């Protein structure tokens, strides 16, 4: 068979993230950055389109050495990891240690991950185990800390589902304007369940205008969530 | 249009979304049928219901996230190395035994190319396990070669360190049953030692 000369191999194809070139080499892909691009500006642009990339997409890119994909993955789940460490009872310093360790563990585990779609579970399992490790290393008695945290079998599916849903909705809220996001958080996510009077006081909105604004904001949120799913 | 103060309180809707058999359900459903505003509220509550079940949610401080970016950027991204797992074969002698009453277990593998053996000591009460061990390679050309040890649990790499043939190594980690210790040889061969108690 005649050698395939068109297109030349390796072939440069535009990376859908728009920030670099994806170059297929054999069965894998490497990413080459255009030399004249401005990293921060480019990253902001990617961030806006980021939610369209699945965890598996991002993890695959991280495995190929794409640093921006790595940052997006950390951004997507940073609060899930931090909240989990704080939830088991760690203080801010301890949670900070765990936070660092979890991402380092993910970085070195990437080639081993067989279920990239289950990355929230992976992160919660690592956070719980490392929380136990940090708490016992400091010989501190934390009421929520027990050996159970080390066993992935004790992690309830309901906890993974709730945290994944929360991370997803928070990502969508972060793309709304500040006023909308604040109102929707107070109405739908605040565990204190504030009454309309309180919401009015905290947002500066008249009680009568909360309803129509809420509907508009909710429509926008729903649209973002639908785009991302 | 119904004035705002005549709508049921958000709390009532919240309870109803979480438990549609609440005592005030009939009254709420009747209101919902004729109130577009409350339908929108209920839509939002349903949308947020799974996310509301988190026990605690807190934003990670920005300086922490930036510190992670700085630390992970220093390291080369993990690339899958070309490896060749060496399966367990009849030639292997696998050993697992209990040493004394400290709970220490011994695990070892003897292969054609050499041997790997460890003592695994659980913590007295809370804390980390200690894995002490040694690798012997029969090939003298590999005597001074750096060998990579990887302690893994399923899809998690708990720790990674290096050793040499004949040198002691120690790993201290929090472990659950079912861990694996891998020795990555420069040839691409990977010897795996499995938790003698795990399945
Ligand atoms: Zn109403």
């Amino acid at each position: 068979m005649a050698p395939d000369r068109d297109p030349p191999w390796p072939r440069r194809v535009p990376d859908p993230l728009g920030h670099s070139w994806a170059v297929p080499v054999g069965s894998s892909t490497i990413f080459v950055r255009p030399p004249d691009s401005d990293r921060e500006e480019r990253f902001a642009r990617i961030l806006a389109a980021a939610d369209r990339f699945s965890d598996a997409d991002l993890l695959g890119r991280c495995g190929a050495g794409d640093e921006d994909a790595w940052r997006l993955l950390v951004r997507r789940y940073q609060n899930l990891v931090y909240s989990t460490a704080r939830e088991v009872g760690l203080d801010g310093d301890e949670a900070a240690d765990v936070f660092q360790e979890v991402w380092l563990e993910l970085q070195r585990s990437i080639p081993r991950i067989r279920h990239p779609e289950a990355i929230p579970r992976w992160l919660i399992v690592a956070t719980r185990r490392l929380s136990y490790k940090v708490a016992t290393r400091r010989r501190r008695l934390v009421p929520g800390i027990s050996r159970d945290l080390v066993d992935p079998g004790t992690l309830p599916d309901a906890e993974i589902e709730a945290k994944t849903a929360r991370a997803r909705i928070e990502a969508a809220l972060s793309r709304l304007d500040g006023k909308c996001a604040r109102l929707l958080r107070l109405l739908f996510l605040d565990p204190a369940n504030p009454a309309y009077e309180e919401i009015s006081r905290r947002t500066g909105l008249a009680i009568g205008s909360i309803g129509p604004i809420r509907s508009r904001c909710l429509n926008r949120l729903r649209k973002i969530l639908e785009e991302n799913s | 249009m119904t004035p705002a103060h005549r709508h049921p309180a958000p709390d009532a809707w919240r309870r109803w979304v979480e438990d549609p058999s609440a005592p005030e359900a009939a009254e709420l459903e009747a209101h919902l049928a004729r109130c577009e505003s409350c339908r929108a509220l209920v839509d939002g509550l349903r949308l947020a219901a799974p996310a509301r079940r988190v026990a605690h949610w807190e934003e990670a401080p920005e300086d922490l996230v930036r510190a992670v970016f700085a630390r992970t950027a220093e390291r080369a991204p993990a690339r899958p190395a070309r490896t060749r797992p060496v399966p367990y074969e009849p030639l292997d002698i696998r050993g697992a035994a209990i040493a004394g009453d400290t709970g220490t277990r011994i695990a070892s593998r003897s292969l054609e190319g050499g041997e790997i053996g460890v003592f695994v000591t659980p913590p007295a009460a809370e804390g980390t396990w200690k894995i002490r061990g040694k690798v012997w390679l029969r090939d003298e050309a590999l005597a001074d070669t750096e060998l990579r040890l990887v302690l893994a649990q399923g899809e998690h790499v708990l720790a990674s360190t290096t050793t040499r043939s004949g040198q002691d190594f120690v790993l201290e980690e929090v472990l659950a049953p079912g861990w694996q210790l891998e020795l990555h040889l420069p040839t691409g061969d990977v010897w795996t030692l499995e938790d003698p108690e795990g399945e």
Side-chain angles (χ1 to χ4, degrees):
Chain A
M1 193 196 276
D4 184 5
R5 290 182 188 287
D6 187 25
W9 187 262
R11 185 162 54 101
R12 281 163 43 126
V13 294
D15 173 14
L17 278 178
H19 66 286
S20 61
W21 292 87
V23 182
V25 177
S27 61
S28 55
T29 306
I30 60 165
F31 293 88
V32 182
R33 221 164 248 142
D36 55 344
S37 51
D38 176 342
R39 274 191 61 77
E40 286 303 316
E41 183 263 341
R42 190 184 59 233
F43 190 67
R45 209 152 28 82
I46 297 162
L47 210 53
D51 300 330
R52 285 201 291 276
F53 290 88
S54 70
D55 293 346
D57 287 340
L58 291 181
L59 217 56
R61 285 161 182 276
C62 293
D66 184 336
E67 205 187 312
D68 290 326
W70 169 253
R71 283 176 171 225
L72 289 178
L73 194 64
V74 176
R75 287 280 176 216
R76 185 170 291 179
Y77 292 117
Q78 60 184 44
N79 297 341
L80 176 143
V81 170
Y82 192 72
S83 300
T84 301
R86 295 282 283 146
E87 184 188 347
V88 300
L90 298 188
D91 66 24
D93 284 349
E94 291 161 342
D97 284 355
V98 169
F99 189 79
Q100 299 266 323
E101 291 299 322
V102 168
W103 296 111
L104 291 171
E105 181 173 310
L106 177 61
Q107 194 184 34
R108 61 177 183 259
S109 301
I110 285 173
R112 205 174 272 267
I113 293 179
R114 301 279 168 267
H115 302 283
E117 71 290 351
I119 200 71
R121 179 179 199 279
W122 191 103
L123 289 168
I124 298 168
V125 164
T127 306
R128 284 158 50 104
R129 172 173 26 78
L130 288 162
S131 294
Y132 173 84
K133 184 180 171 184
V134 165
T136 54
R137 189 168 65 204
R138 294 199 172 189
R139 300 189 189 287
R140 196 166 87 81
L141 266 166
V142 181
I145 295 284
S146 83
R147 282 276 312 147
D148 280 353
L149 292 174
V150 177
D151 181 0
T154 65
L155 175 60
D157 285 344
E159 183 180 331
I160 303 166
E161 280 158 27
K163 285 178 174 165
T164 308
R166 183 65 184 254
R168 188 166 161 259
I169 210 166
E170 290 286 348
L173 284 170
S174 72
R175 287 180 51 199
L176 291 177
D177 65 81
K179 197 172 75 177
C180 262
R182 191 161 57 247
L183 177 64
L184 295 181
R185 278 204 180 88
L186 285 166
L187 277 166
F188 301 121
L189 293 170
D190 193 323
N193 299 336
Y196 281 129
E197 291 75 13
E198 172 71 6
I199 292 172
S200 162
R201 199 180 58 71
R202 284 165 67 179
T203 55
L205 296 170
I207 290 187
S209 66
I210 289 178
I213 295 174
R214 176 190 65 206
S215 293
R216 267 202 307 280
C217 295
L218 207 50
N219 284 340
R220 278 183 225 152
L221 178 72
R222 201 184 299 280
K223 209 165 152 229
I224 295 171
L225 286 169
E226 278 163 11
E227 271 173 21
N228 296 350
S229 65
Chain B
M1 195 180 142
T2 328
H5 64 272
R6 302 279 293 276
H7 301 296
D11 245 0
W13 290 119
R14 219 169 267 130
R15 280 195 302 274
W16 177 73
V17 164
E18 276 153 31
D19 175 17
S21 67
E24 67 271 33
E27 202 181 314
L28 291 172
E29 281 160 28
H31 180 95
L32 202 63
R34 60 185 148 78
C35 179
E36 197 184 327
S37 169
C38 283
R39 277 200 297 275
L41 174 65
V42 166
D43 276 355
L45 288 170
R46 286 190 175 131
L47 187 73
R52 273 182 67 82
R53 294 191 193 110
V54 296
H56 180 85
W57 193 260
E58 191 174 335
E59 284 188 15
E62 182 58 22
D63 58 335
L64 265 189
V65 182
R66 289 185 181 272
V68 165
F69 290 152
R71 271 189 83 181
T72 51
E74 286 167 13
R75 300 171 180 228
R79 283 174 195 285
R82 201 171 285 279
T83 56
R84 192 172 59 222
V86 177
Y88 287 103
E89 280 167 17
L91 174 77
D92 285 357
I93 302 161
R94 260 192 290 180
I98 308 294
D101 51 8
T102 57
T104 295
R105 307 190 299 271
I106 303 166
S108 66
R109 267 190 93 179
S110 178
L111 298 105
E112 227 168 328
E115 266 179 68
I116 178 168
V118 294
F119 290 91
V120 186
T121 309
E126 303 282 299
T128 53
W129 274 242
K130 190 180 258 189
I131 299 183
R132 276 180 304 128
K134 214 177 240 193
V135 177
W136 296 270
L137 299 182
R138 295 195 217 292
D139 185 351
E140 285 189 4
L142 296 175
D144 281 325
T145 311
E146 202 169 66
L147 310 167
R148 202 158 70 86
L149 278 165
V150 172
L151 179 60
Q153 186 129 41
E155 297 184 351
H156 297 255
V157 175
L158 307 186
S160 174
T161 185
T162 57
T163 188
R164 282 169 209 279
S165 182
Q167 210 175 58
D168 290 323
F169 63 81
V170 180
L171 288 159
E172 286 189 67
E173 268 308 318
V174 166
L175 299 173
W179 50 265
Q180 310 97 41
L181 183 65
E182 296 174 352
L183 179 74
H184 292 246
L185 296 172
T187 54
D189 282 1
V190 179
W191 299 354
T192 304
L193 195 62
E194 281 162 12
D195 174 10
E197 287 208 339
E199 263 314 88

